Amino acid sequence: MTVKLTNIRIITCYGEEVIEKGQVLFNEKGILDVGQRVNTDEHEIQEIDGSGLTVLPGLIDSHVHLGMDTSPDPFASMKNEGPEDIAFKAVQQGYRFLQSGITSVRNLGTRYNVDISYRNAVSAGTVVGPRVFAAGSPIVMTGGHGHVMAIEADGCDEVRKAARSQIKAGADLLKVMATGGVLTEGNDPGATQFSEEELRCICQEANKASKTTAAHTIGTDGIKNAIRAGVTTIEHAYLLDEEAVELMLKKGTFLVPTLLAPRLILDKPGTVPEYMIDKVRKIIADHKISFQMAHQAGVPIAAGTDAGTPFNTPGLLSDELALMVEYGMTNHEAIYSATLGAAKAIQKETEIGSIENGKAADLIVVSGNPLENIQYLASPVYVMAKGTIVHHAPVNKRELIV
């Protein structure tokens, strides 16, 4: 079925272009036309009046953990779960992502490579869910951060084998832990884990297979090791310095800041293990400063929530974008970081991330204008995935703000 949106504000995310009272024509094959008026000779068209509404590309959450249960201690829960338990959670979470307007997720760590199996099921149409770019099990040093869901490896020979194993399993990208983390007990978040040489070996294997890489990083030395080794994206980056920012600019490294995740941990005192709270309290102020430093310098940024961590339920990307705006981004910059900017981080910008002829019809329709209030993104009226309407929440027209 071909659908035409009419009388709708269009945030294309292709440059700064915004079309007021425009039209978008699309079907399962993709976006057919976009502009003030679109041309079609077809007779069977579903027409949707978008008066008072805004359409923009489907959102991309660049850092999620499908199958992690968002409990106060997700790693403790995961220890006792089999692949079927994690897969069941992933399916439920996929629905919630879609309902929230998130049509693509980059999954950066799930035990048993369940996210790869889930991606395949979504692609085959067996289950309904967002596009998934799956890393499968992360690669960590022995006893490293997230080892409960990871492949443990030490030295270049072992990490190369781990990287090749994940590529063989069908991973879209490789996830590595370059430093300690908050959720792993006994880990110093700022401590360097993999060496630069080990990280470079993993990146080399990814490059040979035309795959991207993502590195969990908190401490400054580990951040720099990962950038110099050639990772595609730096995750979290609580403790950036000027040298690290310069390296990111030189290498074209993306930042995925996940500003929301530590805030959610601190918002629930008495439920999250005290060791997590202690770690976050020491570094959360630096996290904000690091984000602002990177943004002001022009480092490319992709938005991600770290969904799956404590109380970090699927669909909170609008809250992450609101924090980015609070910390200095414009609304358009924040939206770009969750659309075309995020698509560039996964090297899929020719397929998704903007409203252009020929791209996939992954779209979100919201009431009002998110360029004026970013939180309009929190309650989609329509969500379209691959040209199909997968979510519709009727809205009272009197509540619309044009």
Side-chain angles (χ1 to χ4, degrees):
M1 172 66 74
T2 298
V3 178
K4 182 165 75 169
L5 302 174
T6 64
N7 303 313
I8 195 164
R9 179 184 297 108
I10 306 167
I11 301 175
T12 66
C13 292
Y14 182 71
E16 298 282 338
E17 186 179 15
V18 177
I19 301 171
E20 297 289 345
K21 294 189 179 299
Q23 299 182 346
V24 181
L25 189 72
F26 64 90
N27 60 21
E28 292 86 351
K29 295 179 180 179
I31 297 171
L32 305 176
D33 200 5
V34 56
Q36 292 290 350
R37 298 191 66 83
V38 299
N39 298 313
T40 177
D41 296 326
E42 296 185 48
H43 299 290
E44 293 186 10
I45 294 178
Q46 178 182 357
E47 189 166 310
I48 297 174
D49 181 8
S51 298
L53 304 176
T54 301
V55 62
L56 59 156
L59 303 180
I60 303 169
D61 192 331
S62 293
H63 191 132
V64 309
H65 295 280
L66 288 162
M68 279 179 63
D69 66 4
T70 77
S71 68
D73 192 349
F75 286 166
S77 303
M78 191 180 291
K79 285 180 182 178
N80 302 314
E81 294 177 331
E84 65 283 352
D85 302 307
I86 296 172
F88 181 71
K89 289 186 180 72
V91 171
Q92 291 180 312
Q93 290 166 348
Y95 292 137
R96 294 178 68 181
F97 278 119
L98 276 183
Q99 290 171 349
S100 302
I102 298 163
T103 55
S104 296
V105 297
R106 189 178 65 144
N107 194 77
L108 295 187
T110 295
R111 196 178 188 189
Y112 307 118
N113 286 338
V114 165
D115 58 329
I116 297 175
S117 299
Y118 173 73
R119 177 205 64 198
N120 294 344
V122 171
S123 296
T126 307
V127 297
V128 176
R131 295 176 190 269
V132 180
F133 302 96
S137 298
I139 303 171
V140 308
M141 75 174 198
T142 298
H145 175 55
H147 59 83
V148 67
M149 63 174 174
I151 300 173
E152 294 177 285
D154 303 295
C156 274
D157 287 345
E158 287 190 9
V159 299
R160 281 189 190 279
K161 185 170 183 178
R164 291 170 179 174
S165 295
Q166 284 304 98
I167 292 168
K168 178 183 177 181
D172 297 302
L173 72 153
L174 300 180
K175 168 72 179 296
V176 299
M177 304 296 195
T179 73
V182 170
L183 269 59
T184 304
E185 189 171 10
N187 257 221
D188 177 355
T192 299
Q193 295 199 342
F194 276 139
S195 68
E196 182 180 333
E197 182 183 13
E198 289 169 316
L199 293 169
R200 183 173 289 109
C201 289
I202 295 168
C203 290
Q204 287 172 347
E205 294 303 317
N207 290 339
K208 287 191 290 186
S210 299
K211 307 288 184 182
T212 57
T213 48
H216 163 98
T217 62
I218 291 180
T220 309
D221 290 340
I223 291 171
K224 293 176 188 177
N225 283 345
I227 299 167
R228 287 191 293 256
V231 298
T232 311
T233 65
I234 294 290
E235 312 299 311
H236 319 304
Y238 285 69
L239 300 170
L240 286 173
D241 64 10
E242 289 184 5
E243 182 186 7
V245 170
E246 290 173 4
L247 280 170
M248 293 181 81
L249 291 169
K250 180 180 178 180
K251 294 270 193 176
T253 312
F254 280 77
L255 169 65
V256 183
T258 66
L259 299 168
L260 180 66
R263 294 277 291 264
L264 292 172
I265 289 174
L266 293 185
D267 283 348
K268 302 286 185 177
T271 56
V272 175
E274 195 62 31
Y275 70 82
M276 293 186 195
I277 293 173
D278 288 343
K279 291 179 186 181
V280 170
R281 282 177 177 158
K282 292 176 182 177
I283 56 179
I284 192 167
D286 293 308
H287 197 194
K288 175 182 176 180
I289 293 168
S290 292
F291 168 77
Q292 291 174 325
M293 185 187 308
H295 171 239
Q296 290 165 10
V299 170
I301 293 174
T305 60
D306 212 358
T309 57
F311 312 106
N312 201 340
T313 55
L316 299 182
L317 188 57
S318 61
D319 292 333
E320 177 74 16
L321 301 185
L323 278 175
M324 290 180 167
V325 171
E326 180 183 334
Y327 293 169
M329 273 190 165
T330 66
N331 287 26
H332 191 277
E333 287 174 330
I335 291 169
Y336 183 86
S337 77
T339 54
L340 190 57
K344 288 181 177 179
I346 51 176
Q347 299 179 3
K348 295 295 180 182
E349 67 270 25
T350 61
E351 301 173 27
I352 57 175
S354 60
I355 302 180
E356 298 179 71
N357 290 9
K359 284 198 172 181
D362 292 354
L363 304 167
I364 176 175
V365 175
V366 300
S367 60
N369 185 356
L371 293 174
E372 296 175 356
N373 184 344
I374 200 75
Q375 284 293 3
Y376 282 128
L377 297 176
S379 302
V381 178
Y382 290 97
V383 180
M384 294 81 165
K386 298 180 182 178
T388 299
I389 298 173
V390 294
H391 175 72
H392 177 210
V395 62
N396 187 334
K397 291 288 185 180
R398 289 176 297 178
E399 297 175 355
L400 295 179
I401 301 175
V402 181

